[in-house]
Amino acid sequence: MSRIKKKLRKFTANVLDLPKDVIFDLPRITMIGNMQLYVENHKGVLQFTSEKLTLKLDVGKLEIKGKELVIRAILSEEVFIEGVIEDVDYIQ
């Protein structure tokens, strides 16, 4: 994304008081303890096992590591994971 587009999006977000995750298509991550994880704005599942989930993002990827990981729900841009979540890494 060009610098001008980034600046315009940031300006728009500030003026209209919009959440930056909406304007910049960033992931929104909600974690409940270490047992549940809800991720919005992903672009697909790259890898999934009971110990690792890798999600494609608009820029980079998100790796979730743990034990007994289960995808409870998945939609085009949302995923709900349960298990023992040990690590969440945002990789650009």
Side-chain angles (χ1 to χ4, degrees):
M1 185 180 318
S2 73
R3 286 178 15 155
I4 294 172
K5 282 185 181 180
K6 284 183 182 179
K7 286 185 178 188
L8 183 58
R9 285 184 177 194
K10 187 175 181 179
F11 174 78
T12 303
N14 289 336
V15 168
L16 298 177
D17 197 27
L18 295 172
K20 289 192 177 23
D21 63 306
V22 172
I23 295 296
F24 292 103
D25 204 22
L26 299 171
R28 176 180 291 244
I29 303 165
T30 305
M31 190 167 177
I32 301 171
N34 70 333
M35 301 177 302
Q36 294 179 332
L37 187 70
Y38 182 71
V39 181
E40 298 175 78
N41 297 335
H42 74 88
K43 302 299 179 194
V45 175
L46 296 174
Q47 176 184 9
F48 176 68
T49 68
S50 63
E51 295 179 347
K52 184 178 179 181
L53 170 64
T54 306
L55 297 172
K56 181 180 176 185
L57 304 175
D58 199 40
V59 176
K61 58 186 176 179
L62 187 70
E63 285 187 350
I64 298 105
K65 296 176 187 170
K67 296 177 185 160
E68 302 174 14
L69 298 178
V70 176
I71 296 175
R72 289 288 177 209
I74 187 165
L75 300 170
S76 62
E77 293 188 0
E78 302 170 24
V79 64
F80 179 61
I81 303 120
E82 287 186 335
V84 180
I85 299 162
E86 298 173 337
D87 192 32
V88 179
D89 289 320
Y90 180 79
I91 303 165
Q92 286 191 325

